[in-house]
Amino acid sequence: MENNNSSEERPTVMVTNDDGIDAPGLRALVRVLISCNLFRVLVCAPASEQSAVSHSITWRHPVSVKQVDINGAIAYAVSGTPADCASLGISKELFSFVPDLVISGINMGSNCGYHVVYSGTVAGAREAFFNGIPAVSVSYDWVGGKSSVDDYTLAAEACLPIFRAILAEIKNKSYPLNGFLNIDLPTDIANHKGYKLTRQGKSIFKMGWEEVKSEGQGGKMLSTMEMESDSSARAEIDTATVAAGYRMFKRKVIRPVIDDVDTDKRSLQEGYITVTPLGAISPAETDCHSYFKEWLPSAVQQFSSSAL
């Protein structure tokens, strides 16, 4: 750990993710943060991939922690979820100080619309927000055959102005703590159209199920919600077969559903870097709330007086 005065004066940024501590998105983000020489960088990330675990936490047993060598950072791998990592990292039990900002990412695949509910990346930022720490989740819209690992570096560099602006507001004690930011970066990040404040839409990948006879059958769903098409890769994991008396089912992607209005996913597809403020809860829309306001008194009256 550095002890010089310049290091102590730098703001502290903690990085977590859901793709795991060895994921190229996290490593690119950490390299960019370190190389600009403006931050003290901490890493507290899952030891293995935790995609789509949402805001699950480890409750019934301890998590194990191992220090990892990442040049320029203090880094730990945790046998837990992104929410576990964020919570542990800001607790002062693992590090001796609380970070000024938590960044969760860079995720392989976008996190827009309803997918922020499934996302472990977003949960890592949300957990910090729950505890009063400014936070940002960052995702890159990876597309197989178009994207490369170098795009993560471009994505991290594109986010630097936002990180620096947040930290400046934190230093001035003017940064709002009643929400956190979710950033999505377009596939063609080198030619993005600029930064756009958006709102969470309703986009989602409709998913179904299919019965399979082994784990490898039907392919592997990637964290980008694409199906792994490499049959040789499938063969390597085609080992677990259905035990007697059991049936095995696997999720499959049916189709994407995207908003037609000006929301996060639509703007991302148009080539913008989308910046979406999020909160801890998702209240029902006004017309839905109005319906139940009228419905509840009559429903209770009607069925309380009915014979059961």
Side-chain angles (χ1 to χ4, degrees), residues 33-303:
L33 291 172
I34 292 169
S35 64
C36 68
N37 205 33
L38 295 172
F39 318 110
R40 179 166 51 177
V41 181
L42 312 176
V43 180
C44 186
S48 60
E49 183 173 351
Q50 298 287 319
S51 295
V53 299
S54 189
H55 208 107
S56 61
I57 61 173
T58 303
W59 187 260
R60 296 182 181 274
H61 56 83
V63 296
S64 60
V65 177
K66 181 180 181 180
Q67 189 157 14
V68 175
D69 184 19
I70 298 180
N71 189 35
I74 307 170
Y76 291 94
V78 181
S79 66
T81 67
D84 289 333
C85 294
S87 178
L88 179 60
I90 65 177
S91 68
K92 295 186 73 174
E93 291 294 326
L94 187 60
F95 304 110
S96 60
F97 36 81
V98 177
D100 298 292
L101 176 67
V102 171
I103 305 172
S104 185
I106 297 172
N107 188 64
M108 181 184 183
S110 64
N111 277 305
C112 296
Y114 287 153
H115 280 282
V116 303
V117 177
Y118 296 119
S119 170
T121 302
V122 176
R126 189 189 298 114
E127 181 67 21
F129 162 69
F130 282 166
N131 289 276
I133 307 298
V136 182
S137 50
V138 183
S139 303
Y140 166 65
D141 192 18
W142 178 281
V143 174
K146 294 183 179 180
S147 301
S148 75
V149 291
D150 293 335
D151 291 323
Y152 287 122
T153 299
L154 297 177
E157 291 170 346
C159 289
L160 270 181
I162 297 176
F163 300 156
R164 293 184 66 183
I166 291 172
L167 288 162
E169 296 293 332
I170 293 170
K171 185 177 181 179
N172 293 333
K173 302 186 185 303
S174 55
Y175 190 75
L177 296 178
N178 57 347
F180 65 100
L181 294 181
N182 182 43
I183 300 175
D184 282 277
L185 299 113
T187 305
D188 187 9
I189 183 60
N191 298 295
H192 70 81
K193 293 182 178 180
Y195 304 83
K196 188 174 184 180
L197 188 71
T198 55
R199 58 187 178 86
Q200 180 189 356
K202 301 178 181 178
S203 61
I204 192 170
F205 278 90
K206 291 293 185 182
M207 290 182 283
W209 294 85
E210 62 178 332
E211 188 166 8
V212 297
K213 299 302 181 183
S214 67
E215 282 193 23
Q217 183 181 343
K220 176 185 177 183
M221 185 184 292
L222 304 176
S223 60
T224 56
M225 304 301 293
E226 297 174 311
M227 300 303 295
E228 173 64 69
S229 59
D230 187 347
S231 59
S232 63
R234 290 201 301 269
E236 292 178 4
I237 63 169
D238 197 5
T239 55
T241 54
V242 183
Y246 290 85
R247 299 167 69 189
M248 187 180 293
F249 294 85
K250 176 178 285 188
R251 283 189 183 271
K252 64 177 182 179
V253 176
I254 299 176
R255 67 183 185 281
V257 177
I258 301 172
D259 294 328
D260 289 328
V261 293
D262 187 22
T263 55
D264 49 1
K265 186 66 173 180
R266 177 65 64 186
S267 297
L268 179 68
Q269 290 188 327
E270 291 173 353
Y272 290 96
I273 297 174
T274 62
V275 182
T276 308
L278 296 178
I281 57 176
S282 300
E285 294 182 9
T286 303
D287 57 347
C288 181
H289 191 276
S290 299
Y291 171 87
F292 285 108
K293 184 177 181 180
E294 299 292 331
W295 171 87
L296 182 59
S298 60
V300 172
Q301 182 179 7
Q302 177 182 353
F303 288 97

